[in-house]
Amino acid sequence: MDMQTSFLDRLFEAGLLIDTGIDGLYGRSGQFEEVIAAFERLIDKVGGADGAEAMRFPPGMNRAFFEKSGYMKSFPQLAGTVHSFCGSELDHVSLLQCMEVGEDWTKGQEATDIVLTPAACYPLYPTIAKRGNLPKTGGLFDLQSYCFRHEPSKDPARQQLFRMREYVCMGTEEHVTEFRQRWMDRGVEMMNAVGLEVTIDIANDPFFGRAGKMLANNQRDQNLKFELLIPITAAANPTACMSFNYHQDAFGAKWGLNLEDGSVAHTACVGFGLERIALALFHHHGFDVKAWPANVRKALWG
């Protein structure tokens, strides 16, 4: 924790992150954003020839789609909903009175039809399902979105609002597992190109409750999730900066994603944690981007 806080304080002092008074909710400097933009260009360079269809969804998604996704069964502790004032003029007066005396003014807020997007790919599946059966070649999609997960922390690499870049592949089991392996190889090459030493390990999602332990064990036993790990705040506990996930036919069955022959599509995705990758670069190469090694600058800026 001390190492995490120390790194966070130095990021604040350097102006790379901007303190908002909420753990895990930070502003970013122009230089921080420049590094993220440069890394996204590297992603485009590596994956651009694959011909993915680009989509950009907002950081909020349809509440009905969110409910159907089953997210609340597995990760209720991470979810964020959007509430709004829906009362009368009298209710408004009461709200203002509560604020004036420092009491809880949020009691009258009601849930809207929007929830905060938990992962960039979540709005994609119902969108593609509306189109009908996938073509024989399946589907490949390029996504980027702000995502929300309620896990406040002093660790700057564990933010509550962060950006995720994803490629999502839909097709046969063979098709999507080949896609995942290709991006695992690419991920290591990309990180080596920007001077970051990495390891890849089997992982599991933070499923909630007793049943979640069984899901996590099952996910690990079947090698459904791998993470690319980079030391940021602690060498003994490296941070997941990329993830490589094989969903089997779970999303295909849930959303009615079918292939041309009517069979249920399998899906896989690769996710880049953009803030985490930027933090890894600043941690390993220093806060002065102009002083970074020439090969790293060349990989990012040409």
Side-chain angles (χ1 to χ4, degrees), residues 64-106:
F65 292 159
F66 174 81
E67 291 170 354
K68 183 176 177 179
S69 75
Y71 191 85
M72 290 301 288
K73 293 180 181 178
S74 299
F75 315 108
Q77 76 281 18
L78 302 179
T81 54
V82 177
H83 286 62
S84 187
F85 175 74
C86 301
S88 64
E89 289 187 15
L90 187 60
D91 294 325
H92 182 219
V93 171
S94 177
L95 180 152
L96 294 177
Q97 289 174 342
C98 285
M99 294 184 72
E100 188 173 341
V101 297
E103 294 180 356
D104 181 11
W105 57 272
T106 64

Short mmCIF file of all heavy atoms in Angstrom, two decimals, residues 64-106:
data_model
loop_
_atom_site.label_atom_id
_atom_site.label_comp_id
_atom_site.label_asym_id
_atom_site.label_seq_id
_atom_site.Cartn_x
_atom_site.Cartn_y
_atom_site.Cartn_z
N ALA A 64 -31.63 -2.53 -19.55
CA ALA A 64 -32.24 -3.83 -19.87
C ALA A 64 -31.19 -4.81 -20.40
O ALA A 64 -31.19 -5.99 -20.06
CB ALA A 64 -33.38 -3.65 -20.87
N PHE A 65 -30.28 -4.31 -21.25
CA PHE A 65 -29.20 -5.16 -21.77
C PHE A 65 -28.27 -5.58 -20.63
O PHE A 65 -27.81 -6.72 -20.58
CB PHE A 65 -28.40 -4.43 -22.85
CG PHE A 65 -29.18 -4.18 -24.12
CD1 PHE A 65 -28.78 -3.18 -25.00
CD2 PHE A 65 -30.29 -4.93 -24.44
CE1 PHE A 65 -29.47 -2.94 -26.17
CE2 PHE A 65 -31.00 -4.70 -25.61
CZ PHE A 65 -30.59 -3.70 -26.48
N PHE A 66 -27.99 -4.64 -19.74
CA PHE A 66 -27.12 -4.92 -18.61
C PHE A 66 -27.73 -6.02 -17.74
O PHE A 66 -27.04 -6.94 -17.31
CB PHE A 66 -26.94 -3.63 -17.79
CG PHE A 66 -26.17 -3.80 -16.51
CD1 PHE A 66 -24.80 -3.85 -16.51
CD2 PHE A 66 -26.85 -3.92 -15.30
CE1 PHE A 66 -24.09 -4.00 -15.32
CE2 PHE A 66 -26.15 -4.07 -14.12
CZ PHE A 66 -24.77 -4.11 -14.13
N GLU A 67 -29.03 -5.93 -17.48
CA GLU A 67 -29.70 -6.93 -16.65
C GLU A 67 -29.66 -8.30 -17.32
O GLU A 67 -29.42 -9.33 -16.66
CB GLU A 67 -31.15 -6.49 -16.38
CG GLU A 67 -31.24 -5.27 -15.46
CD GLU A 67 -32.65 -4.68 -15.38
OE1 GLU A 67 -33.53 -5.16 -16.14
OE2 GLU A 67 -32.86 -3.76 -14.59
N LYS A 68 -29.88 -8.33 -18.63
CA LYS A 68 -29.87 -9.60 -19.36
C LYS A 68 -28.48 -10.22 -19.38
O LYS A 68 -28.34 -11.44 -19.42
CB LYS A 68 -30.37 -9.39 -20.79
CG LYS A 68 -30.47 -10.69 -21.59
CD LYS A 68 -31.06 -10.45 -22.97
CE LYS A 68 -31.08 -11.74 -23.77
NZ LYS A 68 -31.67 -11.57 -25.12
N SER A 69 -27.45 -9.39 -19.31
CA SER A 69 -26.08 -9.89 -19.40
C SER A 69 -25.72 -10.81 -18.23
O SER A 69 -24.80 -11.63 -18.33
CB SER A 69 -25.09 -8.72 -19.43
OG SER A 69 -24.95 -8.13 -18.14
N GLY A 70 -26.42 -10.67 -17.10
CA GLY A 70 -26.12 -11.47 -15.93
C GLY A 70 -24.99 -10.92 -15.08
O GLY A 70 -24.51 -11.58 -14.15
N TYR A 71 -24.58 -9.69 -15.37
CA TYR A 71 -23.45 -9.10 -14.64
C TYR A 71 -23.70 -9.06 -13.13
O TYR A 71 -22.79 -9.30 -12.34
CB TYR A 71 -23.19 -7.69 -15.17
CG TYR A 71 -21.91 -7.06 -14.69
CD1 TYR A 71 -20.70 -7.32 -15.34
CD2 TYR A 71 -21.89 -6.21 -13.59
CE1 TYR A 71 -19.51 -6.74 -14.91
CE2 TYR A 71 -20.70 -5.62 -13.15
CZ TYR A 71 -19.52 -5.90 -13.82
OH TYR A 71 -18.35 -5.33 -13.37
N MET A 72 -24.94 -8.77 -12.75
CA MET A 72 -25.25 -8.64 -11.32
C MET A 72 -25.17 -9.98 -10.58
O MET A 72 -25.02 -10.01 -9.36
CB MET A 72 -26.63 -8.01 -11.14
CG MET A 72 -26.69 -6.54 -11.53
SD MET A 72 -25.55 -5.50 -10.59
CE MET A 72 -26.36 -5.48 -8.99
N LYS A 73 -25.28 -11.08 -11.30
CA LYS A 73 -25.13 -12.39 -10.66
C LYS A 73 -23.68 -12.64 -10.26
O LYS A 73 -23.42 -13.33 -9.27
CB LYS A 73 -25.60 -13.49 -11.61
CG LYS A 73 -27.09 -13.48 -11.91
CD LYS A 73 -27.46 -14.62 -12.86
CE LYS A 73 -28.95 -14.61 -13.18
NZ LYS A 73 -29.29 -15.70 -14.14
N SER A 74 -22.76 -12.09 -11.04
CA SER A 74 -21.35 -12.39 -10.82
C SER A 74 -20.56 -11.28 -10.17
O SER A 74 -19.63 -11.53 -9.40
CB SER A 74 -20.69 -12.75 -12.17
OG SER A 74 -21.29 -13.88 -12.74
N PHE A 75 -20.92 -10.01 -10.48
CA PHE A 75 -20.10 -8.88 -10.02
C PHE A 75 -20.94 -7.73 -9.45
O PHE A 75 -20.75 -6.57 -9.82
CB PHE A 75 -19.26 -8.34 -11.19
CG PHE A 75 -18.58 -9.39 -12.01
CD1 PHE A 75 -19.02 -9.68 -13.29
CD2 PHE A 75 -17.51 -10.11 -11.49
CE1 PHE A 75 -18.39 -10.65 -14.06
CE2 PHE A 75 -16.88 -11.09 -12.24
CZ PHE A 75 -17.32 -11.37 -13.53
N PRO A 76 -21.85 -8.01 -8.52
CA PRO A 76 -22.69 -6.92 -7.99
C PRO A 76 -21.87 -5.85 -7.27
O PRO A 76 -22.26 -4.68 -7.22
CB PRO A 76 -23.63 -7.64 -7.02
CG PRO A 76 -22.86 -8.85 -6.60
CD PRO A 76 -22.11 -9.28 -7.83
N GLN A 77 -20.72 -6.26 -6.74
CA GLN A 77 -19.88 -5.34 -5.97
C GLN A 77 -19.19 -4.30 -6.86
O GLN A 77 -18.69 -3.28 -6.37
CB GLN A 77 -18.82 -6.13 -5.17
CG GLN A 77 -17.63 -6.65 -5.98
CD GLN A 77 -17.90 -7.92 -6.77
OE1 GLN A 77 -19.03 -8.30 -7.02
NE2 GLN A 77 -16.84 -8.58 -7.18
N LEU A 78 -19.16 -4.54 -8.17
CA LEU A 78 -18.45 -3.65 -9.09
C LEU A 78 -19.39 -2.74 -9.88
O LEU A 78 -18.94 -1.77 -10.48
CB LEU A 78 -17.61 -4.47 -10.08
CG LEU A 78 -16.56 -5.41 -9.48
CD1 LEU A 78 -15.84 -6.16 -10.59
CD2 LEU A 78 -15.57 -4.63 -8.63
N ALA A 79 -20.68 -3.04 -9.88
CA ALA A 79 -21.63 -2.36 -10.77
C ALA A 79 -21.91 -0.93 -10.33
O ALA A 79 -21.86 -0.59 -9.15
CB ALA A 79 -22.94 -3.15 -10.83
N GLY A 80 -22.22 -0.10 -11.31
CA GLY A 80 -22.61 1.29 -11.05
C GLY A 80 -23.86 1.64 -11.85
O GLY A 80 -23.93 1.37 -13.04
N THR A 81 -24.86 2.21 -11.19
CA THR A 81 -26.10 2.59 -11.85
C THR A 81 -26.20 4.11 -11.90
O THR A 81 -25.59 4.81 -11.09
CB THR A 81 -27.32 2.01 -11.10
OG1 THR A 81 -27.24 2.41 -9.73
CG2 THR A 81 -27.32 0.49 -11.18
N VAL A 82 -26.98 4.61 -12.83
CA VAL A 82 -27.20 6.05 -12.97
C VAL A 82 -28.56 6.39 -12.39
O VAL A 82 -29.59 5.90 -12.87
CB VAL A 82 -27.11 6.49 -14.44
CG1 VAL A 82 -27.41 7.99 -14.56
CG2 VAL A 82 -25.73 6.18 -15.01
N HIS A 83 -28.58 7.20 -11.35
CA HIS A 83 -29.82 7.64 -10.71
C HIS A 83 -30.05 9.13 -10.98
O HIS A 83 -29.10 9.88 -11.21
CB HIS A 83 -29.77 7.40 -9.20
CG HIS A 83 -29.92 5.96 -8.82
ND1 HIS A 83 -29.01 4.99 -9.21
CD2 HIS A 83 -30.86 5.32 -8.07
CE1 HIS A 83 -29.40 3.83 -8.74
NE2 HIS A 83 -30.51 3.99 -8.04
N SER A 84 -31.30 9.54 -10.92
CA SER A 84 -31.63 10.93 -11.18
C SER A 84 -32.83 11.36 -10.34
O SER A 84 -33.61 10.52 -9.87
CB SER A 84 -31.95 11.13 -12.67
OG SER A 84 -32.13 12.49 -12.99
N PHE A 85 -32.97 12.68 -10.16
CA PHE A 85 -34.11 13.23 -9.42
C PHE A 85 -35.36 13.14 -10.29
O PHE A 85 -35.39 13.60 -11.43
CB PHE A 85 -33.84 14.69 -9.05
CG PHE A 85 -35.00 15.37 -8.39
CD1 PHE A 85 -35.35 15.08 -7.08
CD2 PHE A 85 -35.76 16.30 -9.09
CE1 PHE A 85 -36.42 15.71 -6.47
CE2 PHE A 85 -36.83 16.93 -8.50
CZ PHE A 85 -37.17 16.64 -7.18
N CYS A 86 -36.40 12.52 -9.75
CA CYS A 86 -37.64 12.33 -10.50
C CYS A 86 -38.86 12.81 -9.70
O CYS A 86 -39.98 12.40 -9.96
CB CYS A 86 -37.82 10.85 -10.86
SG CYS A 86 -36.49 10.14 -11.85
N GLY A 87 -38.62 13.68 -8.73
CA GLY A 87 -39.69 14.09 -7.84
C GLY A 87 -40.44 15.34 -8.27
O GLY A 87 -40.23 15.88 -9.35
N SER A 88 -41.31 15.82 -7.39
CA SER A 88 -42.13 17.00 -7.61
C SER A 88 -41.40 18.25 -7.11
O SER A 88 -40.29 18.17 -6.58
CB SER A 88 -43.45 16.85 -6.85
OG SER A 88 -43.19 16.80 -5.44
N GLU A 89 -42.06 19.40 -7.24
CA GLU A 89 -41.47 20.64 -6.72
C GLU A 89 -41.30 20.56 -5.20
O GLU A 89 -40.31 21.05 -4.65
CB GLU A 89 -42.36 21.83 -7.09
CG GLU A 89 -42.35 22.17 -8.56
CD GLU A 89 -43.11 23.45 -8.87
OE1 GLU A 89 -43.39 24.21 -7.91
OE2 GLU A 89 -43.43 23.68 -10.04
N LEU A 90 -42.28 19.95 -4.53
CA LEU A 90 -42.18 19.79 -3.08
C LEU A 90 -40.99 18.89 -2.71
O LEU A 90 -40.26 19.17 -1.75
CB LEU A 90 -43.48 19.19 -2.53
CG LEU A 90 -43.60 19.12 -0.99
CD1 LEU A 90 -43.50 20.52 -0.37
CD2 LEU A 90 -44.91 18.45 -0.59
N ASP A 91 -40.80 17.84 -3.48
CA ASP A 91 -39.66 16.96 -3.25
C ASP A 91 -38.35 17.71 -3.46
O ASP A 91 -37.36 17.47 -2.76
CB ASP A 91 -39.70 15.75 -4.20
CG ASP A 91 -40.88 14.83 -3.93
OD1 ASP A 91 -41.25 14.69 -2.75
OD2 ASP A 91 -41.44 14.29 -4.90
N HIS A 92 -38.35 18.63 -4.43
CA HIS A 92 -37.15 19.42 -4.70
C HIS A 92 -36.82 20.32 -3.51
O HIS A 92 -35.65 20.46 -3.12
CB HIS A 92 -37.36 20.26 -5.96
CG HIS A 92 -36.17 21.06 -6.35
ND1 HIS A 92 -36.25 22.35 -6.85
CD2 HIS A 92 -34.85 20.77 -6.30
CE1 HIS A 92 -35.04 22.81 -7.08
NE2 HIS A 92 -34.17 21.87 -6.77
N VAL A 93 -37.84 20.89 -2.92
CA VAL A 93 -37.62 21.73 -1.74
C VAL A 93 -37.00 20.90 -0.61
O VAL A 93 -36.06 21.32 0.06
CB VAL A 93 -38.96 22.36 -1.27
CG1 VAL A 93 -38.77 23.05 0.09
CG2 VAL A 93 -39.47 23.34 -2.31
N SER A 94 -37.52 19.70 -0.42
CA SER A 94 -37.00 18.81 0.61
C SER A 94 -35.55 18.43 0.33
O SER A 94 -34.71 18.38 1.25
CB SER A 94 -37.87 17.56 0.70
OG SER A 94 -37.36 16.65 1.64
N LEU A 95 -35.26 18.19 -0.94
CA LEU A 95 -33.89 17.85 -1.35
C LEU A 95 -32.92 18.97 -1.00
O LEU A 95 -31.84 18.74 -0.41
CB LEU A 95 -33.86 17.56 -2.85
CG LEU A 95 -32.54 17.19 -3.51
CD1 LEU A 95 -32.78 16.30 -4.73
CD2 LEU A 95 -31.76 18.43 -3.97
N LEU A 96 -33.31 20.21 -1.32
CA LEU A 96 -32.45 21.36 -1.05
C LEU A 96 -32.26 21.57 0.45
O LEU A 96 -31.16 21.93 0.90
CB LEU A 96 -33.03 22.62 -1.69
CG LEU A 96 -33.07 22.63 -3.23
CD1 LEU A 96 -33.75 23.90 -3.74
CD2 LEU A 96 -31.66 22.52 -3.80
N GLN A 97 -33.30 21.30 1.21
CA GLN A 97 -33.19 21.43 2.66
C GLN A 97 -32.21 20.40 3.23
O GLN A 97 -31.41 20.71 4.12
CB GLN A 97 -34.57 21.28 3.32
CG GLN A 97 -35.51 22.45 3.06
CD GLN A 97 -36.91 22.20 3.59
OE1 GLN A 97 -37.30 21.05 3.86
NE2 GLN A 97 -37.70 23.26 3.74
N CYS A 98 -32.27 19.19 2.70
CA CYS A 98 -31.34 18.15 3.14
C CYS A 98 -29.90 18.55 2.83
O CYS A 98 -29.00 18.38 3.65
CB CYS A 98 -31.67 16.83 2.45
SG CYS A 98 -33.13 15.98 3.08
N MET A 99 -29.68 19.10 1.63
CA MET A 99 -28.33 19.53 1.26
C MET A 99 -27.84 20.65 2.16
O MET A 99 -26.65 20.68 2.54
CB MET A 99 -28.31 19.97 -0.21
CG MET A 99 -28.57 18.85 -1.21
SD MET A 99 -28.41 19.39 -2.93
CE MET A 99 -26.62 19.58 -3.06
N GLU A 100 -28.75 21.54 2.51
CA GLU A 100 -28.37 22.72 3.30
C GLU A 100 -27.90 22.33 4.69
O GLU A 100 -26.97 22.94 5.25
CB GLU A 100 -29.56 23.68 3.40
CG GLU A 100 -29.21 25.02 4.04
CD GLU A 100 -30.36 26.00 3.98
OE1 GLU A 100 -31.27 25.80 3.16
OE2 GLU A 100 -30.33 26.98 4.74
N VAL A 101 -28.48 21.28 5.26
CA VAL A 101 -28.10 20.88 6.62
C VAL A 101 -27.15 19.68 6.62
O VAL A 101 -26.84 19.13 7.68
CB VAL A 101 -29.36 20.55 7.46
CG1 VAL A 101 -30.23 21.78 7.61
CG2 VAL A 101 -30.15 19.39 6.85
N GLY A 102 -26.70 19.28 5.44
CA GLY A 102 -25.72 18.21 5.34
C GLY A 102 -26.28 16.82 5.49
O GLY A 102 -25.54 15.88 5.80
N GLU A 103 -27.58 16.66 5.28
CA GLU A 103 -28.18 15.33 5.35
C GLU A 103 -28.15 14.66 3.97
O GLU A 103 -27.85 15.30 2.96
CB GLU A 103 -29.62 15.43 5.86
CG GLU A 103 -29.73 15.92 7.30
CD GLU A 103 -31.19 16.01 7.76
OE1 GLU A 103 -32.09 15.78 6.93
OE2 GLU A 103 -31.40 16.33 8.95
N ASP A 104 -28.48 13.37 3.95
CA ASP A 104 -28.45 12.62 2.69
C ASP A 104 -29.58 13.09 1.77
O ASP A 104 -30.76 12.91 2.07
CB ASP A 104 -28.60 11.13 2.99
CG ASP A 104 -28.55 10.28 1.73
OD1 ASP A 104 -28.19 10.81 0.66
OD2 ASP A 104 -28.85 9.07 1.81
N TRP A 105 -29.19 13.72 0.65
CA TRP A 105 -30.17 14.23 -0.30
C TRP A 105 -30.46 13.25 -1.43
O TRP A 105 -31.29 13.51 -2.30
CB TRP A 105 -29.68 15.55 -0.91
CG TRP A 105 -28.33 15.42 -1.59
CD1 TRP A 105 -27.12 15.56 -1.02
CD2 TRP A 105 -28.10 15.10 -2.97
NE1 TRP A 105 -26.12 15.36 -1.95
CE2 TRP A 105 -26.70 15.08 -3.15
CE3 TRP A 105 -28.92 14.84 -4.06
CZ2 TRP A 105 -26.11 14.79 -4.38
CZ3 TRP A 105 -28.33 14.56 -5.29
CH2 TRP A 105 -26.95 14.54 -5.44
N THR A 106 -29.80 12.07 -1.41
CA THR A 106 -29.93 11.14 -2.53
C THR A 106 -31.09 10.16 -2.37
O THR A 106 -31.35 9.36 -3.27
CB THR A 106 -28.63 10.33 -2.71
OG1 THR A 106 -28.42 9.52 -1.55
CG2 THR A 106 -27.43 11.25 -2.90
#
